């Protein structure tokens, strides 16, 4: 019986070759061939562990029969995770046949659609699933056990939607206090190269996409503020967070796991898992502690435009302490070249293509409402004015496609060009990274925003309103 791997195979091949992790030459079965003995009272997880561990065909058949005879809906996700990690074509075939028999799902399908089948029902997993996941992933990285063990009552998200991304903890190494250089010394950059620009308390920095895509996170202090810049390459999102909350600084890293194809972070102190898009803990002891990191604006633009606006900017050095090909467009080249996904989400919304870029408009501290504005639409409408739950804002989009958003009260604007705009009374305003300033002295603050791919943003925020 043929099993179509589709984007699952693509994702595993790309990620494993891309990251050069230390156990690259080990098979998945070897990494979990000696799983920790589960302590669950329910025998289902133990049976799946035994199936993954034994090469004996008769034993495999007996285990499959026992699973089938005692089948429960909660076994569906155990089966899918076991299939994912099995290195045996025979075991995968047995699991395929069993899943199709019990769920009546079509024969010619792929693993992603099976995950979607599970995710589009009410969750059926039992509390034992946390222990199953802890034991299973401990065989890959012992730190992974901490994410799930004894955390049944410390989760805000569906555990069956938490998927391994193919790397160890910090297997995609964050840049911690990275070396910065002046714009004049950044001879490796071309004017057309894409950079993520930020300014904090007057200090401007540029983080080239060609470097950050290999690391997906930087942790540093900018303008005297401790910050983490998080780049989820899969969902096209770069968000800048203040890592201090109520006097406590959270040291964040890359967990190795995803939720709805969005990167999950972790904090070193508690090993809680954090949402990248919301900046808050979603699994672990920090859940329900009222923690939500403040996020700040990031502008996606060209190096030429950024250094023109900020001649005193600093920029990442190629001297990162890691050996990578930092050429423009090298990292994730295959992924960015198509609309295909590495990891699926429960529902694909076809209002836009998966990887069409949107601008996120949300103010979590003031309202639950969210807007997503298609970047293609904003390119055609350089000045876009609207409101979020009664809070007026204006989006200004320059010729590079960079968006800057401000709280604009009752003002109307026209004739935007080169950082200068005029209001309905013909009075000039100047746009900066922190605010827009009227020639008469009045100031309007910047509205924090970030870009994202449509599919990942819609999956994270199903109730978002789309402007296109």
């Amino acid at each position: 019986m043929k099993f179509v791997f589709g984007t699952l195979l693509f994702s595993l091949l790309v990620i494993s070759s891309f990251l050069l992790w230390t156990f690259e030459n080990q098979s998945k079965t070897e990494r979990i061939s000696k799983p920790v003995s589960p302590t669950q009272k329910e025998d289902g997880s133990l049976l799946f562990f035994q199936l993954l561990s034994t090469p004996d065909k008769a034993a495999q058949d007996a285990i499959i029969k026992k699973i089938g005879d005692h089948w429960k809906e909660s076994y569906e996700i155990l089966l899918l995770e076991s299939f994912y990690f099995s290195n045996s074509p025979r075991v995968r075939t047995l699991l395929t046949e069993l899943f199709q028999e019990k769920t009546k799902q079509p024969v010619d399908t792929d693993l992603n659609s099976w995950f979607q089948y599970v995710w589009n029902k009410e969750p059926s997993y039992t509390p034992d699933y946390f222990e199953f996941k802890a034991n299973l992933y401990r065989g890959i990285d012992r730190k992974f056990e901490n994410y799930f063990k004894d955390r049944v009552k410390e989760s805000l998200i569906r555990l069956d939607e938490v998927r391994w991304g193919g790397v160890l903890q910090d297997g995609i190494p964050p840049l911690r206090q990275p070396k910065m250089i002046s714009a004049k010394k950044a001879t490796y950059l071309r004017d057309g190269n894409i950079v993520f620009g930020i300014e904090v308390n007057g200090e401007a920095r540029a983080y080239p996409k060609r470097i950050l895509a290999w690391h997906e996170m930087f942790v540093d202090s900018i303008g005297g503020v401790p910050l983490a810049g998080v780049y989820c390459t899969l969902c096209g999102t770069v968000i800048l967070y203040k890592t201090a909350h109520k006097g406590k600084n959270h040291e964040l890293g890359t967990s190795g796991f995803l939720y709805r194809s969005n990167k999950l972070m972790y904090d070193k102190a508690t090993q809680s898992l954090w949402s990248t898009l919301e900046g808050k803990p979603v699994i672990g002891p920090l859940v329900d502690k009222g923690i939500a990191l403040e996020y700040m604006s990031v502008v996606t633009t060209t190096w030429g435009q950024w250094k023109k606006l900020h001649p005193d900017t600093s920029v990442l050095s190629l001297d990162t302490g890691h050996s990578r090909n930092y050429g423009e467009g090298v990292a994730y080249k295959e992924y960015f070249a198509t609309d295909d996904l590495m990891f699926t989400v429960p529902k694909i919304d076809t209002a836009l293509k998966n990887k069409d870029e949107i601008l996120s408009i949300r103010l979590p501290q003031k309202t639950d409402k969210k807007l997503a504005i298609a970047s293609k639409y904003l390119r055609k409408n350089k000045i876009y004015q609207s409101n979020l739950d009664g809070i007026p804002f204006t989006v200004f989009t320059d010729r590079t496609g960079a968006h800057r958003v401000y709280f604009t009260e009752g003002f109307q604007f026209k004739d935007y060009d080169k950082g200068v705009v005029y209001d309905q009374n013909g009075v000039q305003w100047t746009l900066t990274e922190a605010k827009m300033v009227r020639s008469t002295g009045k100031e309007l603050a910047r509205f924090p925003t970030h870009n994202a791919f449509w599919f990942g943003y819609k999956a994270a925020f199903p109730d978002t309103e789309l402007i296109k």
Side-chain angles (χ1 to χ4, degrees):
M1 185 180 301
K2 183 177 180 181
F3 193 97
V4 182
F5 288 97
T7 54
L8 168 66
L9 178 59
F10 171 74
S11 67
L12 291 176
L13 290 174
V14 171
I15 293 176
S16 60
S17 61
F18 166 59
L19 293 163
L20 304 177
W21 35 330
T22 57
F23 56 110
E24 182 179 15
N25 295 319
Q26 290 180 288
S27 72
K28 288 180 290 186
T29 297
E30 288 172 334
R31 294 197 295 275
I32 59 174
S33 60
K34 295 181 180 179
V36 180
S37 298
T39 59
Q40 299 95 319
K41 295 179 181 179
E42 183 182 357
D43 66 351
S45 58
L46 179 58
L47 289 172
F48 282 104
F49 270 107
Q50 291 172 341
L51 184 63
L52 288 173
S53 302
T54 180
D56 183 83
K57 294 180 180 179
Q60 292 169 357
D61 291 339
I63 294 169
I64 286 289
K65 184 178 186 306
K66 189 170 183 180
I67 291 173
D69 289 344
H70 297 84
W71 182 260
K72 301 175 184 178
E73 190 178 12
S74 60
Y75 287 5
E76 290 177 348
I77 189 61
L78 303 180
L79 184 150
L80 292 185
E81 297 230 35
S82 298
F83 183 99
Y84 188 90
F85 283 100
S86 175
N87 197 47
S88 165
R90 185 175 190 275
V91 169
R92 288 199 297 267
T93 297
L94 292 172
L95 291 172
T96 299
E97 293 173 345
L98 181 61
F99 191 81
Q100 291 167 347
E101 173 193 344
K102 297 300 182 180
T103 65
K104 310 304 180 186
Q105 289 298 290
V107 174
D108 293 327
T109 186
D110 62 31
L111 190 58
N112 277 329
S113 68
W114 288 6
F115 272 113
Q116 288 176 325
Y117 161 78
V118 171
W119 294 339
N120 280 289
K121 302 188 301 176
E122 289 297 315
S124 62
Y125 58 83
T126 67
D128 292 332
Y129 179 48
F130 281 82
E131 300 306 308
F132 174 85
K133 212 162 181 106
N135 291 324
L136 179 66
Y137 287 99
R138 181 186 178 187
I140 296 172
D141 185 337
R142 294 182 67 88
K143 297 175 184 176
F144 288 167
E145 180 182 22
N146 298 322
Y147 296 159
F148 311 112
K149 189 173 180 60
D150 299 326
R151 295 189 169 181
V152 176
K153 297 180 180 179
E154 301 173 340
S155 180
L156 300 179
I157 58 177
R158 285 184 59 155
L159 188 64
D160 57 356
E161 290 191 55
V162 175
R163 294 186 65 182
W164 182 49
V167 300
L168 304 177
Q169 185 181 94
D170 286 334
I172 301 175
L175 296 175
R176 300 188 184 276
Q177 292 74 48
K179 181 179 179 180
M180 308 297 290
I181 57 177
S182 68
K184 291 183 179 179
K185 292 183 178 180
T187 55
Y188 72 91
L189 284 170
R190 300 291 179 265
D191 282 353
N193 289 176
I194 301 299
V195 300
F196 305 113
I198 64 174
E199 184 184 86
V200 181
N201 292 336
E203 182 178 353
R205 290 193 180 186
Y207 294 83
K209 179 179 179 180
R210 58 194 284 184
I211 297 179
L212 201 57
W214 285 100
H215 299 279
E216 297 195 353
M217 180 181 286
F218 68 83
V219 179
D220 210 343
S221 179
I222 306 172
V225 179
L227 298 165
V230 191
Y231 183 14
C232 177
T233 49
L234 295 180
C235 57
T237 304
V238 178
I239 306 183
L240 184 67
Y241 284 111
K242 293 182 179 180
T243 54
H245 182 269
K246 295 183 178 179
K248 168 72 174 179
N249 189 62
H250 299 280
E251 190 172 358
L252 303 174
T254 296
S255 72
F257 285 82
L258 309 165
Y259 176 71
R260 298 188 178 180
S261 203
N262 284 273
K263 177 190 183 84
L264 288 172
M265 304 179 289
Y266 78 96
D267 71 273
K268 289 194 172 183
T270 73
Q271 298 291 302
S272 294
L273 295 178
W274 294 58
S275 164
T276 291
L277 281 174
E278 297 187 89
K280 68 180 185 181
V282 289
I283 297 179
L286 295 185
V287 162
D288 290 333
K289 302 297 184 184
I291 300 171
L293 302 180
E294 180 182 349
Y295 79 102
M296 307 172 72
S297 288
V298 177
V299 62
T300 303
T301 186
T302 63
W303 171 236
Q305 180 69 6
W306 180 258
K307 69 179 178 180
K308 182 185 296 185
L309 294 173
H310 305 281
D312 294 330
T313 188
S314 58
V315 61
L316 275 177
S317 167
L318 287 176
D319 182 13
T320 64
H322 302 275
S323 179
R324 299 288 189 272
N325 181 349
Y326 290 124
E328 180 75 359
V330 173
Y332 281 84
K333 180 179 181 180
E334 294 84 358
Y335 181 70
F336 293 139
T338 75
D339 203 44
D340 296 334
L341 304 182
M342 283 190 186
F343 296 90
T344 193
V345 294
K347 293 181 181 179
I348 301 294
D349 190 300
T350 58
L352 295 174
K353 292 182 178 179
N354 288 331
K355 296 175 190 170
D356 277 357
E357 191 174 78
I358 61 93
L359 178 68
S360 164
I361 303 291
R362 57 190 179 91
L363 291 170
Q365 294 178 337
K366 295 184 178 181
T367 176
D368 291 332
K369 291 190 176 181
K370 305 169 187 66
L371 291 178
I373 310 176
S375 290
K376 290 180 181 177
Y377 176 84
L378 292 173
R379 281 178 176 269
K380 296 177 182 178
N381 298 272
K382 294 195 300 181
I383 301 176
Y384 175 78
Q385 299 196 252
S386 186
N387 73 87
L388 182 67
D389 203 13
I391 303 169
F393 66 86
T394 303
V395 184
F396 298 95
T397 302
D398 68 22
R399 62 188 60 189
T400 73
H403 312 304
R404 291 175 176 84
V405 188
Y406 302 85
F407 295 98
T408 45
E409 300 176 2
F411 291 96
Q412 300 295 311
F413 298 95
K414 59 183 180 178
D415 302 327
Y416 169 54
D417 187 43
K418 296 180 180 179
V420 173
V421 67
Y422 293 87
D423 62 28
Q424 69 268 35
N425 298 316
V427 180
Q428 178 178 305
W429 296 71
T430 301
L431 276 60
T432 73
E433 302 303 337
K435 57 194 174 185
M436 56 187 303
V437 183
R438 201 179 192 194
S439 57
T440 58
K442 182 174 178 59
E443 299 180 352
L444 297 173
R446 181 90 173 264
F447 187 122
T449 60
H450 61 83
N451 295 352
F453 289 153
W454 168 241
F455 88 93
Y457 193 78
K458 178 65 173 179
F461 304 120
D463 60 344
T464 193
E465 178 185 348
L466 173 65
I467 307 296
K468 65 173 183 174

